[in-house]
């Protein structure tokens, strides 16, 4: 616990949301964290909650030891993990398929020729736009949430928006100090120069001007310690997103200590995003179809609402209803930087109504942290640990997303930043995840496709397999449950693997309305494209163009402003990020042209993949550009056998005779997904990587490393309260002088101390 904290179980029963459904109100086993800094977490003896919401008692021990179970992944951390470009891996998977003697490794005489692909479509202002009539209808008008906050603040202290702090200057100082641990805040306030400034406020003489006197008075802070400062932060208006603390009873397995889940209501998170005036001009509530010609033959795809999915879902809703696409994202994050094994598994939420360019700007704070998925230590046999962690993941998400069942079928009346109420239906539209989490979410077996029915031996096919639908997955699960008892984890896992499933027997999305496994799992530019390029394409090139020769060619390039120059080549690099991938992708084809191991067929194949890579990153697509995307992928597939012929597709035992690579199979996702959900950059896992940097890492640094999840929740409560009042203050200034205080998004975030690029 924090220094000076009282040992006091400060939980109280979570208040009932007047807009919540009956099922939500009946959940009596959840408590709200009032001030987590004063909690003795492991002293609590509360009733357990299982995945269905029923109560039970946990028999787990009360040990505080936290030995985090590692999650089996195919990919390392992308932005921070080390990668060696030396030895070749035999295979990404456990076994290899049998050699197909009938496979033709020769280059086809006639291959698809790829024309120069066109630029992205022009400005959408020139489109003929077809709007879904009646969608997003305003039901009634009322006061906005910010107006209510302003009235409440002014009632407490006339004219002071930043109460209980004296003024905006003191509020800015508190905003900065809040990101420091309590000991460092007390050290700052105890500095001699700070004390001199405070003392000078009481020692001015009569000859000083009123301006100087007022400035000195303002230096006298309304708090004298970190504890007092945090007490005042607690007096700020609440964000209506309280953290809830639930003890989870495991359906399978036993752990060394009780399992706790900290989470927020996703409906409350959606409400907080709709309340923000800063986003008012960037929200859309009506599905649209953008046509590039009057004949309605060439269509544009950009935002989520421009795709087929939003149009189809809107057609299934009551007249006048408003669709709120829910975007989720999760990824494990290492909390310790140089030593230690502390990790967190955060879950983030945003909504597809916010335009992608705004939603993906870190400074706009359009992503909300709604849960920390627990990572316990299991006492069961080690081979079962991964299966038990997978089941716990789905059990926890079923608890977190329970309110979306009612909100997706009956809807919720939510208001926007100007007080307009709409009948909103919340549907899970996308889940941002890397490949290991993709197969976890869709209950797919290891080294299977997460979005199609393709098994391991089918991953290298040039044609896509049928989609992995909700009915297909649940039908296979029911089939396995009839044959094997799900409580027998080892037997169930073995039987499920035979039909392309993992050990999850109750997916969290089974009760979510309108869930589409083949669409919710999105194509990932970061791990799906760049990691495939790095782990396979670049490895093949390095085999054909030997290391010293490739380094010499890369280093010989003339330095150009705006493009990274690898002056020492690339083989010495041990730390790779997406930036290194992008920089090398720009020059790779030109660098290797003419090398002894590179022939025309290899260049054609590599050009096909690089064309696909760049086309897939368009922020706006049309029917024409999607055809070029298909042509590029077809060209690559038609010529990829040359890497087996020349021996570049290698493993530890020599040349591999197959292309059974999950990321290769997933390349078929892009065209299908873009035409239904919009451009792919808005679903990249770069977003969750950025959220780690501005939410998770600063929160952990502000703790004392003991019971840190509870303290991290308290930190996020303070951050959200301060951000709310900060935005209320900017909104007030804009109302007083609209021309001088336009809500222009900045790309600076104080947590990192540097400018953040738009994803």
């Amino acid at each position: 616990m924090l220094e000076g904290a009282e040992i006091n179980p400060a939980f109280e029963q979570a208040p009932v949301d007047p807009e919540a459904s009956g099922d939500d109100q009946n959940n009596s086993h959840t408590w709200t964290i009032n001030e987590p800094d004063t909690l003795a977490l492991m002293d609590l003896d509360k009733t357990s909650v299982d995945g269905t919401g029923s109560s039970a008692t946990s028999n787990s021990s009360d040990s505080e030891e936290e030995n985090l179970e590692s999650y089996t992944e195919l990919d390392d951390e992308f932005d921070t993990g080390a990668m060696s470009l030396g030895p070749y891996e035999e295979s990404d998977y456990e076994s290899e398929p049998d050699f197909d003697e009938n496979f033709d490794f020769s280059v086809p005489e006639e291959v698809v020729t790829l024309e120069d692909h066109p630029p992205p479509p022009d400005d959408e202002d020139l489109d003929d736009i077809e709007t879904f009539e009646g969608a997003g209808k305003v039901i009634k008008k009322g006061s906005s949430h910010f107006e209510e906050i302003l009235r409440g603040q002014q009632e407490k202290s006339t004219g002071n928006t930043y109460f209980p702090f004296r003024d905006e200057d003191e509020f800015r100082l508190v905003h900065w100090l809040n990101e420091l641990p309590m000991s460092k805040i007390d050290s700052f306030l105890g500095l001699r120069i700070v004390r001199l400034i405070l003392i000078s406020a009481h020692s001015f003489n009569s000859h000083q001007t009123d301006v100087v006197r007022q400035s000195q008075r303002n230096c006298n802070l309304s708090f004298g310690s970190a504890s007092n400062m945090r007490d005042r932060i607690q007096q700020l208006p609440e964000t209506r997103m309280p953290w809830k603390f639930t003890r989870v009873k495991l359906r399978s397995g036993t752990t060394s200590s009780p399992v706790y889940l900290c989470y927020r209501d996703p409906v409350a998170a959606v409400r907080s995003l709709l309340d923000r005036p800063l986003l008012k001009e960037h929200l859309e509530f009506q599905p649209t179809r953008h046509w590039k010609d009057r004949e309605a033959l060439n269509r544009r795809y950009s935002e989520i609402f421009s795709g087929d999915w939003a149009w189809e879902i809107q057609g299934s809703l009551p007249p006048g209803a408003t669709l709120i696409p829910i975007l989720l994202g999760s990824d494990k994050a290492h909390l310790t930087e140089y030593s230690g094994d502390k990790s967190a598994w955060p879950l983030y939420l945003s909504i597809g109504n916010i335009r992608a360019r705004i939603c993906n700007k870190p400074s706009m704070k359009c992503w909300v942290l709604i849960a920390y998925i627990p990572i316990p230590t299991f006492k069961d046999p080690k081979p079962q640990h991964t299966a038990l962690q997978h089941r716990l993941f789905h059990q926890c998400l079923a608890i977190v997303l329970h309110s979306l069942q009612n909100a997706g079928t009956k809807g919720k009346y939510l208001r926007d930043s100007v007080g307009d109420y709409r009948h909103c239906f919340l549907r899970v539209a996308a889940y941002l995840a890397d490949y290991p989490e993709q197969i976890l979410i869709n209950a797919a077996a290891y080294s299977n496709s997460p979005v199609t029915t393709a098994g391991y031996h089918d991953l290298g096919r040039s044609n896509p397999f049928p989609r992995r639908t909700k009915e297909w997955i649940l039908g296979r699960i029911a089939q396995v449950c009839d044959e094997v008892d799900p409580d027998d984890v080892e037997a169930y896992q073995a039987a499920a693997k035979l039909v392309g499933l993992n050990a999850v027997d109750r997916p969290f999305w089974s009760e979510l309305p309108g869930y589409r496994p083949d669409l919710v799992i999105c194509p990932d530019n970061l791990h799906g494209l760049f990691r495939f390029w790095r782990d396979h394409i670049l490895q093949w090139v390095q085999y054909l163009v030997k290391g010293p020769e490739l380094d010499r060619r890369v280093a010989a390039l003339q330095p150009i402003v705006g493009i990274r120059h690898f002056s020492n080549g690339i083989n010495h690099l041990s730390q790779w990020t997406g930036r290194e991938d992008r920089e090398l992708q720009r020059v790779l084809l030109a660098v290797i042209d003419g090398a002894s191991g590179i022939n025309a067929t290899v260049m054609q194949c590599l050009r096909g993949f690089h064309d696909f890579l760049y086309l897939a990153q368009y922020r706006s697509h049309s029917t024409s550009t999607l055809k070029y995307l298909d042509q590029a992928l077809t060209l690559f597939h038609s010529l990829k056998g040359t890497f087996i012929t020349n021996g570049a597709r290698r493993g530890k035992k020599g040349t591999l005779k197959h292309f059974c690579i999950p990321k290769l199979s997933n390349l078929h996702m892009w065209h299908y997904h873009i035409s239904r959900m919009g451009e792919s950059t808005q679903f990249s896992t770069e977003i969750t990587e950025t959220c780690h940097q501005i939410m998770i890492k600063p929160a952990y640094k502000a703790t004392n490393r003991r019971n840190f999840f509870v303290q991290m929740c308290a930190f996020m409560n303070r951050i959200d309260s301060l951000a709310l009042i900060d935005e209320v203050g900017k909104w007030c200034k804009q109302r007083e002088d609209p021309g001088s205080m336009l809500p222009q998004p900045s790309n600076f975030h104080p947590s990192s101390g540097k400018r953040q690029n738009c994803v």
Side-chain angles (χ1 to χ4, degrees), residues 153-376:
Q153 289 291 88
Q154 292 180 347
E155 289 175 359
K156 298 175 184 177
S157 178
T158 305
N160 183 12
T161 306
Y162 302 95
F163 179 84
F165 302 105
R166 177 181 293 108
D167 51 26
E168 183 178 359
D169 293 332
E170 182 177 283
F171 175 82
R172 298 292 175 199
L173 176 62
V174 171
H175 207 319
W176 177 75
L177 288 175
N178 180 63
E179 298 191 3
L180 301 177
M182 294 184 71
S183 59
K184 296 197 176 199
I185 297 174
D186 287 330
S187 298
F188 172 81
L189 296 176
L191 291 175
R192 183 170 179 270
I193 187 172
V194 176
R195 293 200 306 270
L196 290 175
I197 293 175
L198 298 179
I199 293 174
S200 66
H202 301 283
S203 60
F204 55 85
N205 56 56
S206 59
H207 300 288
Q208 290 175 310
T209 64
D210 293 339
V211 175
V212 174
R213 293 180 183 180
Q214 182 63 35
S215 175
Q216 289 177 328
R217 290 192 187 98
N218 291 342
C219 290
N220 189 17
L221 300 178
S222 60
F223 56 91
S225 66
S227 178
N228 184 245
M229 183 193 78
R230 291 189 173 180
D231 288 341
R232 287 183 172 271
I233 294 177
Q234 293 299 318
Q235 301 176 36
L236 292 172
E238 297 180 356
T239 60
R240 301 195 300 172
M241 289 190 301
W243 281 93
K244 301 178 182 180
F245 186 84
T246 299
R247 184 169 175 176
V248 181
K249 180 185 177 183
L250 302 181
R251 294 189 297 102
S252 303
T254 56
T255 58
S256 59
S257 61
V259 177
Y260 294 96
L261 172 65
C262 294
Y263 71 101
R264 289 162 156 172
D265 182 12
V267 177
V270 172
R271 187 185 293 116
S272 70
L273 291 172
L274 294 176
D275 281 339
R276 297 177 57 191
L278 186 63
L279 303 177
K280 180 181 65 174
E281 302 298 328
H282 309 293
L283 292 174
E284 53 185 349
F285 299 104
Q286 292 181 308
T288 56
R289 288 173 175 169
H290 296 246
W291 303 102
K292 302 301 297 179
D293 53 9
R294 295 185 178 180
E295 294 78 15
L297 299 176
N298 194 10
R299 184 175 170 183
R300 170 201 288 273
Y301 304 95
S302 54
E303 307 291 337
I304 290 180
F305 274 82
S306 66
D308 292 334
W309 176 85
W311 196 277
E312 294 171 1
I313 297 297
Q314 186 69 53
S316 65
L317 301 179
T322 301
L323 173 63
I324 305 293
I326 301 296
L327 311 181
L328 300 173
S330 65
D331 185 27
K332 272 192 174 181
H334 293 293
L335 300 178
T336 49
E337 294 182 353
Y338 301 107
S339 63
D341 60 349
K342 304 300 183 184
S343 299
W345 200 344
L347 176 67
Y348 305 102
L349 178 144
S350 187
I351 56 177
N353 306 83
I354 306 173
R355 293 188 177 274
R357 286 182 177 271
I358 300 300
C359 185
N360 296 347
K361 284 182 178 291
S363 60
M364 297 299 287
K365 301 176 183 177
C366 296
W367 284 84
V368 181
L369 176 65
I370 64 169
Y372 285 109
I373 303 169
I375 315 173

Side-chain angles (χ1 to χ4, degrees), residues 556-576:
L557 290 175
Q558 181 178 357
I560 301 175
V561 176
I563 298 179
R564 177 173 176 177
H565 181 238
F566 296 91
S567 57
N568 296 320
I570 62 173
N571 278 303
H572 72 286
L573 296 177
S574 60
Q575 297 288 335
W576 277 74

Side-chain angles (χ1 to χ4, degrees), residues 468-484:
R468 181 179 285 259
T469 64
K470 184 176 183 179
E471 294 74 19
W472 187 91
I473 299 174
L474 295 180
R476 293 285 178 110
I477 291 177
Q479 173 186 339
V480 178
C481 289
D482 291 339
E483 300 173 356
V484 182

